[in-house]
Amino acid sequence: MTQPLKEKYKNEVIPNLIKEFEYKNIHQVPKLLKIQVNRGLGAAASNNSTLQQTVEEIRMVTGQQPVITSAKKSIAGFKIREKQPLGVTVTLRGNYMFSFLERLINLVLPRIRDFSGLSPNGFDQHGNYNFGLKTQLVFPEISYESVDQPRGFNITLVTSAKTKMEGLSLLKNYGFPFKNN
């Protein structure tokens, strides 16, 4: 099954970016490499039911089994022990990435209350974009009854762009709703 965003990239995004940045070679055009979805739980990760619920929520949202991240070393001031679970992460590539991106743009972002667009300030110097969602309830896969406490996600879109402007233009061409500053 071919993804509509893959087709949009080939038919619309590449020609738009070549025209905008005057690339000489099609391989210079930036592309989306992967999407990283994280949730840090901190002290709540020591509660096994909270950790399992988070794993299940991220699995439903992304379609992939997430990895439990753990502390590399003990820090007494934060009451963290070595190898203690701290959060959950998953990396999406290929069809899983485009499927997640499609749902994020068309379903999830419009469901956010008082949503006026994403901030264009979330780019790093290499054109990767990072933003957070305050609650997991904006995803249609998660039912309201199954949530004991609102917990957000951190989503990172890793691109092959060289600058912030290239990354911003790439995501705008995909259809990301950014605020106008």
Side-chain angles (χ1 to χ4, degrees):
M1 178 181 121
T2 178
Q3 298 289 336
L5 278 181
K6 268 188 184 176
E7 296 299 319
K8 183 176 184 175
Y9 179 73
K10 288 177 187 168
N11 300 332
E12 295 176 29
V13 177
I14 290 176
N16 289 348
L17 291 175
I18 287 175
K19 189 185 305 176
E20 183 179 346
F21 293 102
E22 299 174 356
Y23 294 119
K24 304 284 186 244
N25 189 330
I26 196 167
H27 298 293
Q28 292 176 303
V29 177
K31 59 183 173 236
L32 196 59
L33 301 175
K34 65 182 177 180
I35 297 176
Q36 189 94 23
V37 180
N38 303 308
R39 179 186 283 169
L41 294 171
S46 58
N47 181 350
N48 198 28
S49 66
T50 303
L51 188 63
Q52 292 310 315
Q53 182 180 2
T54 294
V55 167
E56 189 57 36
E57 284 176 357
I58 290 184
R59 183 187 307 125
M60 283 191 297
V61 166
T62 63
Q64 270 187 229
Q65 177 68 26
V67 175
I68 298 172
T69 57
S70 54
K72 293 179 181 170
K73 60 183 184 178
S74 298
I75 302 172
F78 295 117
K79 297 180 181 170
I80 294 175
R81 305 249 184 272
E82 188 174 352
K83 297 182 182 167
Q84 175 184 345
L86 294 177
V88 177
T89 184
V90 66
T91 302
L92 304 170
R93 290 184 172 90
N95 288 336
Y96 284 110
M97 174 181 71
F98 283 111
S99 172
F100 180 78
L101 190 65
E102 183 107 13
R103 285 180 311 166
L104 186 68
I105 293 170
N106 298 326
L107 290 174
V108 175
L109 294 177
R111 287 180 64 159
I112 297 174
R113 181 181 294 185
D114 299 332
F115 183 69
S116 61
L118 294 169
S119 170
N121 300 330
F123 284 93
D124 66 6
Q125 64 269 23
H126 304 293
N128 302 319
Y129 187 63
N130 199 348
F131 68 100
L133 298 176
K134 288 187 168 72
T135 179
Q136 67 270 47
L137 292 172
V138 292
F139 288 96
E141 298 91 350
I142 299 176
S143 70
Y144 186 79
E145 292 80 29
S146 68
V147 175
D148 61 341
Q149 179 182 353
R151 292 188 179 90
F153 292 108
N154 180 24
I155 300 171
T156 304
L157 302 155
V158 179
T159 67
S160 63
K162 303 278 186 262
T163 65
K164 292 178 185 181
M165 289 308 301
E166 286 180 352
L168 178 64
S169 183
L170 172 69
L171 294 183
K172 274 187 177 175
N173 277 293
Y174 268 123
F176 264 84
F178 285 104
K179 291 178 190 170
N180 295 328
N181 282 1

